[in-house]
Amino acid sequence: MSFSASDVVPLTQARANLSELADQVKAGAEKIITKNGESYVALIDAGRLDYYHRLERERIHLLLIDDARRGLEDIKAGRTQDANAAIARLQERRAASAAPATAVTQKRG
């Protein structure tokens, strides 16, 4: 959806005309409320907001399904690691990278 200049409303004007803006939004418009010349919030129909939330949930579900598919492909191809060993290696790397910073701090102290 594209916006026109009439869809961009300063906050002070929105306060004064909230009822009128709400009627326009209910009729299908979307309004961008600005504060100090910058985008601040959007005024949209509650049904449309619900639709946007449903779309986002569906997108997340599709991403999870794709992650699961790739994981199954990795298992099938033998690209696996023992979880406990992988966590131990990560912890060792984290401790090794933190050790030089700790040593420098102790020398200064």
Side-chain angles (χ1 to χ4, degrees):
M1 175 178 208
S2 61
F3 292 97
S4 68
S6 65
D7 294 327
V8 179
V9 182
L11 182 59
T12 53
Q13 183 182 344
R15 281 185 189 137
N17 300 308
L18 183 57
S19 182
E20 179 185 327
L21 291 174
D23 289 342
Q24 291 174 18
V25 166
K26 193 64 182 166
E30 293 182 346
K31 301 294 181 176
I32 301 296
I33 310 298
T34 61
K35 185 175 182 181
N36 299 323
E38 302 275 330
S39 294
Y40 188 56
V41 296
L43 187 60
I44 65 169
D45 180 71
R48 188 171 293 185
L49 179 63
D50 185 51
Y51 172 73
Y52 291 159
H53 283 245
R54 284 194 318 272
L55 284 178
E56 180 62 16
R57 282 192 303 274
E58 288 176 17
R59 187 186 73 81
I60 290 168
H61 290 152
L62 289 173
L63 290 172
L64 289 171
I65 290 169
D66 190 52
D67 284 347
R69 180 193 52 79
R70 285 184 287 139
L72 291 171
E73 288 174 0
D74 285 343
I75 291 168
K76 190 175 182 178
R79 296 184 297 259
T80 62
Q81 296 181 32
D82 177 72
N84 291 329
I87 291 169
R89 284 193 300 276
L90 289 171
Q91 290 172 336
E92 288 171 7
R93 278 191 232 151
R94 198 175 286 151
S97 66
T102 305
V104 170
T105 304
Q106 289 175 349
K107 286 181 183 180
R108 290 182 185 169

